[in-house]
Amino acid sequence: MKFNLDSPEMKETRQGFADALIDAGKTNKDLVVLGADVSGSVKTNLFRDAYPDRFISVGIAEQDMMGTAAGLALAGKIPVASAYGEFATGRPFDQIRQSIAYSEMNVKICASHCGITVGPDGATHQSFEDVALMRVLPNMNVITPCDYNQTYRAVKLAIDTHGPFYIRFYRENSPNFTDINAPFKFGKADTIIDGDDITLIASGLLVWEAIVASEKLKKEGINARVVNMHTIKPIDKETIIKCADETGMIITCEDHQWTCGLFGAVAEVIVMHRPTKMDYIAIDDTFGESGIIASELMNKYKIDREAIYKKVKKHLKK
Amino acid sequence: MSKNPNLKTAEELSEMARQIRRDIINMLVIAQTGHSGGPLGMADIFTALYFNKMKLDSSNPEMNDRDYFFLSIGHIAPVWYATLARRGYIPVEELRTLRRINGRLQGHPAPAKTHGVPGVEIASGSLGQGLSIAVGMAIGLRMNGKDNYVFCINGDGELQEGQIWEAIMTAAHHKTDNLTMIVDRNQCQIDNRTELVQELEPLKEKFHAFNWHTYEIDGHNMKEILHAIDEAKAYKGKPTVIIANTLMGKGVSFMEDNYKWHGIPPNIEQASIALKELAVTKYGDFFDLEEYAEL
């Protein structure tokens, strides 16, 4: 696969979510969307304008939104509950646990504004814990798509697949590089760049950073495999074990706390099946801060291409 | 329709409620864990709904045109299980298995697909969540063009949970007149009387201010209960709340109106006194205290 590293097409992942809802809504009359006031931000206002009868406003009340979604699911609807990452997971965690996960309700929780790239809003709005919270729940499926195209496909898949889903995406424009026509392989990671020296298992926005870092390393004779682990739960054990066997070391790359997210999910497989050296690119047990430009924040918090490049070099230093 | 026909008169319903109270005492004395006060207090309302007012078929718990029932206070599960058993959803003998491993009668109710019992639509236990679910169901039914009715039972202490008031606002905003909330106003919660833990009054006025249709009844007067449910179902344009004034521990003198009976079971001596006070009914018990030594 060839990447336009210098000037990739830029698109918002949240727009992929919104477009998937509108397209799915054309044929799926059971699809309903709940709004907790931030519909303009998470772009569900587009669904509301297209299908006003299937948009349900609950006000700024994320806990009630999760319960209402569960009730709608019981009534045979396919409810999509959307808010910012922290407010879609942390605030209504107990409601998700009891009324959705334990009760196996067909609710799709779709969170925008995740990770540090929400930037100027600062730490209260930068969710670094949402994957951990959703991943720990039995019955919950967790997807962290890497670009517009993959968000679009992941949302469509979740709507068509019975059961609770958590899908995590972003506010910012980001490179759109996956194939819109390739089917979304739920639970099966995509190997984007081959390589045998080391494996970078990345999710979300960090997939692009890993690609850029890998291409740079290639020029220096280091072949870093890049795997897009878009499905965090259920995790793709087979691919992780294969990477461990074939490359001998794995670095996970995510814009989430280093514990209990992608690193945790991969490490659980590694510890159980193939003890192998690992390291991480992630938020290092800290809260974020405001910053106007997303890339500056990613750089400061060492979750960008440069941090990945340096970490690989450190480990492969002969 | 149900294989068990409805009970018609208030007298018949009250006798069934008494049997359900006896069942609760027997369940709890066997389990030696669980809540006594709330379940005894709600036996009349559960009986009115399940044996007279709700559309249901116990042999087909997922019947399409059933009315929906949500219990937001999962800890009063014993009254629900006893009611479901007497109505034919589960065997009466199964009431012996309350809170036992590998059983379906979970300490707090779970739906059948999650190792719970038929008739339970969704889990409850963590307080404050049921009304949101009921409102979602009411909105969903209306979108589907269906006229099934939705009931949700809430505790009074539970109204201290913020999510309840979010749901109260959502229901009012969406004018879910296919929903009735019944508040078990027994004035007691686990720590103390509600007005001492965190006051709820003026409660009816609060609901009124939130744009709900309100009723206040004696939650042990069967005729009043039946009438209020009829009125609530007929009311259009707003959701209805029935504030049911009840006695925690109703029917057992030493438990009545005593918050200390919120979360504990009777021992065998207390159960024996309770069963003497709750006169035997024509339906018969599933357990005899004489058996207790053998357990």
Side-chain angles (χ1 to χ4, degrees):
Chain A
M1 196 169 176
K2 196 82 188 110
F3 300 101
N4 183 351
L5 295 176
D6 298 326
S7 56
E9 180 195 20
M10 299 295 280
K11 260 182 140 170
E12 291 174 0
T13 50
R14 60 176 169 167
Q15 188 66 44
F17 162 61
D19 290 346
L21 291 183
I22 289 170
D23 288 352
K26 281 176 197 157
T27 49
N28 191 334
K29 303 297 179 198
D30 286 327
L31 182 64
V32 296
V33 174
L34 292 101
D37 193 48
V38 290
S39 61
S41 303
V42 301
K43 299 223 166 188
T44 50
N45 59 336
L46 302 173
F47 183 92
R48 181 194 65 205
D49 294 346
Y51 316 107
D53 296 344
R54 286 185 265 153
F55 182 85
I56 299 148
S57 174
V58 297
I60 309 169
E62 295 83 5
Q63 301 172 16
D64 181 48
M65 174 167 69
M66 294 306 169
T68 307
L72 285 158
L74 274 175
K77 298 297 182 190
I78 303 171
V80 173
S82 188
Y84 300 173
E86 163 56 19
F87 315 129
T89 58
R91 187 176 186 110
F93 179 74
D94 185 40
Q95 285 76 11
I96 296 171
R97 179 178 182 270
Q98 174 171 295
S99 296
I100 296 175
Y102 177 44
S103 298
E104 295 179 57
M105 288 297 136
N106 190 27
V107 174
K108 318 303 171 187
I109 301 164
C110 295
S112 180
H113 294 49
C114 294
I116 202 164
T117 55
V118 71
D121 285 344
T124 55
H125 284 53
Q126 291 161 343
S127 67
F128 302 159
E129 299 82 19
D130 53 309
V131 172
L133 288 169
M134 293 299 100
R135 186 170 87 78
V136 75
L137 291 172
N139 299 329
M140 185 62 75
N141 301 293
V142 179
I143 306 178
T144 59
C146 65
D147 66 0
Y148 168 95
N149 286 346
Q150 194 162 60
T151 306
Y152 178 92
R153 291 178 301 160
V155 170
K156 294 260 286 215
L157 173 123
I159 290 166
D160 292 338
T161 309
H162 191 87
F165 273 77
Y166 175 64
I167 305 180
R168 173 190 218 251
F169 44 93
Y170 307 93
R171 181 182 66 186
E172 293 298 293
N173 255 325
S174 62
N176 186 34
F177 55 95
T178 61
D179 182 0
I180 189 69
N181 297 312
F184 182 77
K185 290 177 287 179
F186 177 64
K188 189 71 201 153
D190 296 326
T191 299
I192 294 185
I193 297 176
D194 277 324
D196 294 330
D197 295 332
I198 195 165
T199 303
L200 303 171
I201 297 182
S203 74
L205 287 188
L206 269 289
V207 174
W208 180 254
E209 299 302 308
I211 290 169
V212 176
S214 175
E215 295 290 345
K216 185 175 177 188
L217 289 160
K218 196 178 284 174
K219 290 177 185 149
E220 300 177 19
I222 295 170
N223 293 311
R225 182 179 299 186
V226 177
V227 172
N228 175 11
M229 191 62 75
H230 47 70
T231 308
I232 308 287
K233 187 175 185 180
I235 195 84
D236 181 359
K237 285 182 196 167
E238 202 181 309
T239 296
I240 294 168
I241 291 169
K242 191 162 174 277
C243 293
D245 286 345
E246 293 176 1
T247 72
M249 180 169 181
I250 293 171
I251 299 176
T252 56
C253 311
E254 64 194 304
D255 56 343
H256 184 275
Q257 299 289 1
W258 79 277
T259 50
C260 313
L262 175 65
F263 177 78
V266 174
E268 286 156 19
V269 175
I270 288 294
V271 167
M272 289 297 291
H273 301 283
R274 287 290 190 286
T276 302
K277 198 172 176 192
M278 284 187 71
D279 202 343
Y280 61 85
I281 294 289
I283 301 292
D284 215 346
D285 196 24
T286 183
F287 291 104
E289 66 182 85
S290 287
I292 302 297
I293 302 169
S295 61
E296 286 180 347
L297 283 164
M298 290 175 76
N299 188 261
K300 177 167 179 179
Y301 285 81
K302 296 187 170 58
I303 53 167
D304 66 349
R305 57 197 69 180
E306 187 189 327
I308 298 170
Y309 171 82
K310 283 182 181 163
K311 192 148 273 188
V312 171
K313 292 283 279 185
K314 185 184 105 183
H315 284 293
L316 293 187
K317 203 157 55 186
K318 299 284 176 335
Chain B
M1 284 312 286
S2 173
K3 61 184 173 184
N4 304 336
N6 278 344
L7 298 176
K8 298 262 181 333
T9 67
E11 291 69 30
E12 285 178 299
L13 289 161
S14 291
E15 184 173 13
M16 178 57 79
R18 196 167 77 244
Q19 182 57 49
I20 286 170
R21 289 190 167 95
R22 292 182 63 86
D23 292 342
I24 292 166
I25 295 294
N26 281 322
M27 291 167 82
L28 289 166
V29 77
I30 295 169
Q32 278 307 296
T33 162
H35 299 69
S36 302
L40 290 169
M42 286 300 282
D44 299 299
I45 285 168
F46 273 67
T47 306
L49 287 168
Y50 272 91
F51 286 87
N52 189 282
K53 288 300 171 201
M54 289 204 298
K55 274 193 278 183
L56 55 84
D57 179 358
S58 58
S59 63
N60 178 18
E62 298 189 4
M63 178 178 80
N64 278 334
D65 58 349
R66 70 187 181 281
D67 287 338
Y68 285 90
F69 178 89
F70 296 101
L71 176 65
S72 192
I73 38 175
H75 61 270
I76 72 163
V79 66
W80 201 3
Y81 296 149
T83 306
L84 290 172
R86 290 293 168 182
R87 197 65 173 110
Y89 285 81
I90 57 173
V92 174
E93 273 292 307
E94 194 174 342
L95 296 178
R96 292 169 178 266
T97 66
L98 178 69
R99 293 184 166 220
R100 288 289 182 264
I101 194 166
N102 300 324
R104 299 191 293 177
L105 307 191
Q106 298 296 305
H108 293 82
K113 65 181 173 184
T114 317
H115 55 239
V117 294
V120 174
E121 309 276 356
I122 193 167
S124 99
S126 174
L127 294 173
Q129 300 193 25
L131 186 62
S132 299
I133 296 160
V135 173
M137 172 59 77
I139 294 170
L141 288 169
R142 192 166 61 195
M143 291 172 103
N144 292 341
K146 310 255 285 184
D147 63 357
N148 315 46
Y149 202 83
V150 184
F151 293 97
C152 183
I153 306 282
N154 292 87
D156 52 0
E158 189 197 17
L159 303 180
Q160 291 154 1
E161 290 278 9
Q163 186 188 352
I164 292 284
W165 298 93
E166 295 180 355
I168 287 170
M169 283 194 282
T170 300
H173 180 79
H174 291 278
K175 301 183 172 59
T176 51
D177 56 12
N178 51 347
L179 162 73
T180 284
M181 172 188 192
I182 301 176
V183 175
D184 177 13
R185 185 68 173 120
N186 63 19
Q187 309 267 350
C188 295
Q189 58 191 103
I190 194 164
D191 259 9
N192 210 320
R193 300 190 68 79
T194 57
E195 300 313 285
L196 294 176
V197 177
Q198 191 182 58
E199 63 183 25
L200 296 166
E201 294 299 334
L203 188 57
K204 194 174 173 183
E205 289 79 356
K206 283 191 173 103
F207 277 99
H208 187 72
F210 276 77
N211 220 5
W212 278 55
H213 176 228
T214 59
Y215 265 109
E216 191 166 358
I217 62 166
D218 171 352
H220 303 303
N221 181 321
M222 193 56 76
K223 283 182 179 154
E224 267 191 50
I225 298 168
L226 297 172
H227 178 71
I229 294 169
D230 285 341
E231 293 279 312
K233 283 183 94 161
Y235 191 85
K236 296 296 168 211
K238 288 179 186 180
T240 294
V241 59
I242 298 173
I243 297 171
N245 293 306
T246 60
L247 280 178
M248 175 173 275
K250 172 71 177 176
V252 178
S253 57
F254 57 91
M255 293 186 188
E256 278 188 5
D257 203 26
N258 182 350
Y259 72 88
K260 290 180 179 163
W261 280 96
H262 169 96
I264 54 170
N267 62 30
I268 185 156
E269 291 78 19
Q270 291 163 331
S272 173
I273 299 168
L275 291 170
K276 284 196 184 81
E277 293 185 13
L278 296 162
V280 171
T281 77
K282 65 182 177 187
Y283 299 106
D285 294 327
F286 70 90
F287 178 72
D288 186 332
L289 279 185
E290 299 290 314
E291 295 176 51
Y292 191 79
E294 297 160 26
L295 290 179

